[in-house]
Amino acid sequence: MSQISNAIIAFIEQMYQLLWGDLVVVPLPGGSTLGLSILVMILIPSGIYFTFKTRFLPFRLFPEMLRVTAEKRNSGQTGSLSGIQALIVSTATRVGMGNLVGVVAAISAGGAGAVFWMWLIAILGSSTAFIEAVLAQLYKEKDPLYGGYRGGPAYYLHHCYRKKGSTQKHVLPAVLFALSGLICWCGVSQVIGNSVSSAFQNAFHIPPIWSTVLLVILAAVIVLRKNATVKVLDVIVPFMAGFYFLITLYIIIRNAGQLPGVFQRIFTEAFGLRQAVGGGIGAVIMNGAKRGLFSNEAGSGSAPCAAAAADVSHPVKAGLLQALGVFIDTLVICSCTAMIMLLTPQELVSGLEGMDLLQASMNYHMGSFGTVFIAVILWLFSFSTFIGILFYARPNVAYLFGDNWTAQTLYKLLALAMLFIGGLAAYTFVWDLGDLGVGLMTIFNMTALFPMAGEAIHALKDYESRKNP
């Protein structure tokens, strides 16, 4: 049995390296190199392509993104979500551990310059997020179990690859996407359990068993009820994101005199003469790029599972809201984490990495309250991510196994079990499992985005012509 499990772990790690490892290495001045993985080579050019195809939508229609957040549900159909509720669900998973752990890792490895590349990836990614969200709206279906609508990449992949006139229930790319998503979210569940139990043990000296049991019980009460998920996220997400933003704003105001120096560091190191000469500019660029892609999820096909559930008067409105979600994730929340660290004197955090770096920064700014605050905010970010990914799982379970409560409930129980196991034991390969799932989802999703992007662009032109007759 151990040989089988070792073989599975080895296979997962090899697949992870294939997707996220450096497939192409480009030499740079000063002896540095730029390592490009398959996914980076797919997602960044895609973001550039879709930004041009949408005529620079992130800049041109940003005011419209803000305007549609105020619109109410279109038809008021039972179980349906308003556009802003769909945005909240997707934000719950975007604004997760990546905004803390991911940003810390990017700055630890790539320095302040990595922040600039995270910003750039967010701007490009918002165009990709728009395309996939509009397609999810165009091919959404009524949900006979939960009410409202459902959809996502599995559904538009089905339409993309099924034979014309065929009534087949499944097509291989859609099945592979749905399976990749369910595998990914199981891996993420274990990571969430471990992150929460570790944070509470460090901050409050609570044994992992107690924090894990409480987490699983709270999660079970929510996810095993029919429609509690969105109601809970409606409360948690605005509170945690708003509170984190306000604390950061307080820190920024207290250290306003340092801001010019911080921004100088970000831009200088991003294009860095010092890094290029020192042979580190490649690490700056790729750490920012990879962590940006991890955090905002644009192109992975996760957020369209929420976008499809939105009951909006035009598909483009769901796309605009999901594009705004990428901005919220990276340009607001990720920047908050970056500012907390970069406004800390470098000599106080020299040699520190990971959460130790962030906790030391918060301790400098806010004393012992800072350590407790990070533990609590990590708990909220992680908990909302778990609730959000189980919402994502709904349409994919339905696509694979049909409309029945048994399949839905069994997957929820599996995810809860993974959450419990992760809280008690750290298996490093589950990070690879989650990343492998995201990588595979991205590959399958992108095979539909390019051939079907024209439909989303056509919808955008229709929307703009109605706004400006």
Side-chain angles (χ1 to χ4, degrees), residues 346-364:
Q346 288 183 267
E347 62 270 16
L348 294 181
V349 293
S350 178
L352 296 179
E353 294 183 354
M355 292 306 292
D356 290 338
L357 172 56
L358 183 56
Q359 287 183 323
S361 297
M362 281 300 294
N363 189 64
Y364 167 76

Side-chain angles (χ1 to χ4, degrees), residues 292-351:
L293 295 172
F294 272 123
S295 182
N296 66 53
E297 298 182 350
S300 71
S302 293
C305 299
D311 187 5
V312 290
S313 59
H314 197 287
V316 164
K317 291 182 179 180
L320 292 172
L321 286 167
Q322 293 305 318
L324 179 63
V326 175
F327 279 99
I328 294 171
D329 168 79
T330 306
L331 296 184
V332 178
I333 306 299
C334 284
S335 296
C336 285
T337 305
M339 287 298 162
I340 288 171
M341 290 187 292
L342 296 178
L343 287 169
T344 305
Q346 288 183 267
E347 62 270 16
L348 294 181
V349 293
S350 178

Side-chain angles (χ1 to χ4, degrees), residues 61-243:
L61 293 179
F62 187 76
E64 183 67 8
M65 295 179 197
L66 297 177
R67 191 192 68 79
V68 296
T69 60
E71 291 193 2
K72 296 181 180 179
R73 188 181 295 111
N74 183 41
S75 66
Q77 180 177 328
T78 303
S80 64
L81 274 62
S82 65
I84 190 65
Q85 284 178 313
L87 172 61
I88 286 172
V89 172
S90 60
T91 301
T93 59
R94 284 195 182 110
V95 181
M97 293 172 298
N99 299 93
L100 295 180
V101 181
V103 177
V104 173
I107 294 177
S108 296
V115 177
F116 170 83
W117 296 103
M118 291 185 73
W119 290 340
L120 181 62
I121 292 301
I123 293 169
L124 296 176
S126 62
S127 298
T128 306
F130 170 82
I131 296 292
E132 59 184 359
V134 173
L135 289 176
Q137 271 286 310
L138 291 172
Y139 291 99
K140 68 184 180 183
E141 301 176 353
K142 286 190 175 180
D143 190 335
L145 288 180
Y146 293 96
Y149 300 96
R150 67 169 180 218
Y155 294 79
Y156 57 72
L157 277 161
H158 182 90
H159 284 271
C160 181
Y161 286 100
R162 74 174 181 178
K163 295 177 181 178
K164 196 171 183 179
S166 169
T167 58
Q168 63 192 117
K169 291 185 177 180
H170 299 94
V171 298
L172 184 60
V175 169
L176 292 174
F177 173 86
L179 286 173
S180 299
L182 297 182
I183 291 170
C184 166
W185 298 321
C186 274
V188 171
S189 298
Q190 285 203 19
V191 173
I192 289 169
N194 184 255
S195 298
V196 169
S197 63
S198 298
F200 270 63
Q201 188 174 28
N202 292 336
F204 307 112
H205 308 292
I206 297 175
I209 183 65
W210 297 115
S211 56
T212 301
V213 167
L214 178 61
L215 177 67
V216 172
I217 291 173
L218 283 174
V221 168
I222 295 167
V223 302
L224 294 177
R225 293 176 62 193
K226 182 179 178 181
N227 282 320
T229 295
V230 176
K231 294 176 184 177
V232 171
L233 292 179
D234 278 348
V235 175
I236 292 179
V237 173
F239 170 77
M240 71 179 188
F243 190 40

Side-chain angles (χ1 to χ4, degrees), residues 438-449:
V438 170
L440 292 174
M441 289 165 65
T442 303
I443 297 291
F444 300 129
N445 183 42
M446 296 304 293
T447 64
L449 288 196

Side-chain angles (χ1 to χ4, degrees), residues 364-383:
Y364 167 76
H365 292 297
M366 307 195 74
S368 58
F369 170 79
T371 304
V372 173
F373 171 77
I374 287 298
V376 172
I377 209 74
L378 178 62
W379 190 92
L380 287 172
F381 279 16
S382 301
F383 186 69

